[in-house]
Amino acid sequence: MSESAAAELQSLDLALARAGQNVSHNLNGQRLGRKGRETRERIVRAAIKVLHDEGEEQFTLSAVARRAGLGMSALYNYFTDLSELMVAVLEPVMDSAQETYLSILGTYWPYDEV
């Protein structure tokens, strides 16, 4: 794995962890403990993998549940529908992209290269 790919993956891992901190309860109103947070993160990671492996299977809740190794009922404890899951997927990706973009802007650009 290249150095930039490893840094991108580490940045995405950090963004996923931060995104999970904002969620305190599942859809049944139960407070999320360590196991619940890990399950939710596993669902989001599985959704990212399904999207990344485009062409193998369509992006559906059942495809994500299969990839996460969960039943549909477990998935519905955390997300009401596909659009809510997509927002959860995009949040850490956008955070990761924003951090990468800002780090590039913060580097010195020599005048002869601008």
Side-chain angles (χ1 to χ4, degrees):
M1 179 180 291
S2 72
E3 214 174 286
S4 64
E8 188 176 312
L9 186 60
Q10 184 180 13
S11 179
L12 182 59
D13 286 340
L14 182 61
L16 274 170
R18 268 194 243 139
Q21 290 175 347
N22 296 335
V23 179
S24 62
H25 293 77
N26 68 14
L27 296 180
N28 294 325
Q30 298 167 321
R31 187 158 187 78
L32 288 183
R34 180 190 54 81
K35 186 177 175 185
R37 289 185 194 285
E38 288 174 358
T39 302
R40 187 179 187 282
E41 185 176 321
R42 190 167 83 190
I43 293 168
V44 173
R45 285 182 186 280
I48 291 170
K49 288 178 184 174
V50 170
L51 284 171
H52 186 265
D53 298 341
E54 187 178 337
E56 289 185 24
E57 56 188 336
Q58 289 185 330
F59 184 66
T60 62
L61 287 176
S62 59
V64 172
R66 270 193 308 276
R67 187 69 65 102
L70 298 169
M72 290 295 291
S73 59
L75 194 131
Y76 280 118
N77 282 329
Y78 299 93
F79 302 99
T80 57
D81 58 15
L82 191 61
S83 60
E84 188 176 316
L85 177 57
M86 185 58 112
V87 169
V89 166
L90 290 176
E91 184 179 341
V93 171
M94 292 305 298
D95 287 346
S96 171
Q98 182 178 6
E99 287 176 15
T100 303
Y101 177 71
L102 291 176
S103 72
I104 290 170
L105 285 179
T107 59
Y108 174 74
W109 294 0
Y111 288 110
D112 60 337
E113 292 181 18
V114 177

